[in-house]
Amino acid sequence: INHTLEGTGKVTVQNNIFEGNVYQAIVTERDDTDIIGNYMETSLDYAGYGIIVMDWGLRLQQRIQIVCNTITGDPNGFAVGILLGDSGYLQRVRYVNIENNTITANKVGIRVRGNRQTAIYTTINYNSIFDNDANGVENTRDRELDIERNWWGDISGPSGDGPGSGDRVSGLVDYEPMLMKPVDVSLCPSACPPGDLDFDCDVDFFDFAILAEDWLEGT
């Protein structure tokens, strides 16, 4: 999704299946991107990326939702399941919500890098992050990253810079409190019926109103 895509509304990538020799499943350079309810499984061996949020022009990028996705591999997953920011630590990536995802069997589950502002406006909560080979979460910035209320594959919590024996975490991270069991994703949008536009798992007048408004706006 290129940054030059014009408009003030959201771009939504939802309920898709990416399988096979997937090197990059979803890449966005744009603000206001919702990535919801997708299944990503690569047959490559610790190569590529499930989701990339990064502007190659190093422009500010913000308001990104990564919710209810599965990012995995057969047998080994991506080199990085979710990647935020650039390797030179110059880009600002703000207001990113990573929630209710299942991230497993990758080399690294989530890597957060980029400008110092990236971590302070990023929340990684209520995810199941387990059985990733190197690290479940890596924070390369010098600002603390909110990774509270995740399942790390063990009730003791994350290992590495954490106290337990679950997936490793590295860098400045706030991992407490921790979940004692995997996240229940049964109410994720992908489990709701077609036509449910407000994600309440019921197709009703409110969904029609959303559809009508989008039609009137030409979207």
Side-chain angles (χ1 to χ4, degrees), residues 55-126:
D55 186 302
W56 272 260
L58 304 181
R59 290 165 283 260
L60 169 65
Q61 190 175 1
Q62 54 190 345
R63 299 182 300 276
I64 311 296
Q65 296 277 347
I66 302 174
V67 179
C68 293
N69 302 281
T70 296
I71 306 173
T72 187
D74 181 21
N76 296 324
F78 296 95
V80 181
I82 300 175
L83 175 65
L84 305 183
D86 72 296
S87 59
Y89 310 137
L90 298 175
Q91 187 195 3
R92 292 179 295 157
V93 182
R94 305 190 306 182
Y95 306 109
V96 181
N97 177 42
I98 301 175
E99 184 175 316
N100 281 71
N101 302 281
T102 299
I103 304 167
T104 183
N106 305 287
K107 189 69 173 181
V108 174
I110 303 172
R111 178 177 290 155
V112 177
R113 60 189 192 183
N115 185 277
R116 192 168 186 265
Q117 292 189 41
T118 299
I120 191 171
Y121 297 114
T122 296
T123 56
I124 302 172
N125 308 134
Y126 299 102

Side-chain angles (χ1 to χ4, degrees), residues 74-196:
D74 181 21
N76 296 324
F78 296 95
V80 181
I82 300 175
L83 175 65
L84 305 183
D86 72 296
S87 59
Y89 310 137
L90 298 175
Q91 187 195 3
R92 292 179 295 157
V93 182
R94 305 190 306 182
Y95 306 109
V96 181
N97 177 42
I98 301 175
E99 184 175 316
N100 281 71
N101 302 281
T102 299
I103 304 167
T104 183
N106 305 287
K107 189 69 173 181
V108 174
I110 303 172
R111 178 177 290 155
V112 177
R113 60 189 192 183
N115 185 277
R116 192 168 186 265
Q117 292 189 41
T118 299
I120 191 171
Y121 297 114
T122 296
T123 56
I124 302 172
N125 308 134
Y126 299 102
N127 301 280
S128 292
I129 305 170
F130 63 98
D131 289 343
N132 296 286
D133 183 66
N135 288 302
V137 173
E138 293 180 356
N139 178 27
T140 66
R141 303 308 303 129
D142 59 352
R143 186 183 288 275
E144 190 173 69
L145 177 65
D146 177 1
I147 58 170
E148 296 179 356
R149 298 179 175 85
N150 293 291
W151 166 249
W152 302 99
D154 192 274
I155 60 173
S156 62
S159 59
D161 288 333
S165 56
D167 267 28
R168 291 176 53 85
V169 296
S170 66
L172 295 174
V173 290
D174 175 15
Y175 49 79
E176 291 182 319
M178 304 168 290
L179 297 183
M180 298 294 103
K181 61 181 180 179
V183 174
D184 181 4
V185 296
S186 63
L187 294 180
C188 275
S190 58
C192 295
D196 173 37

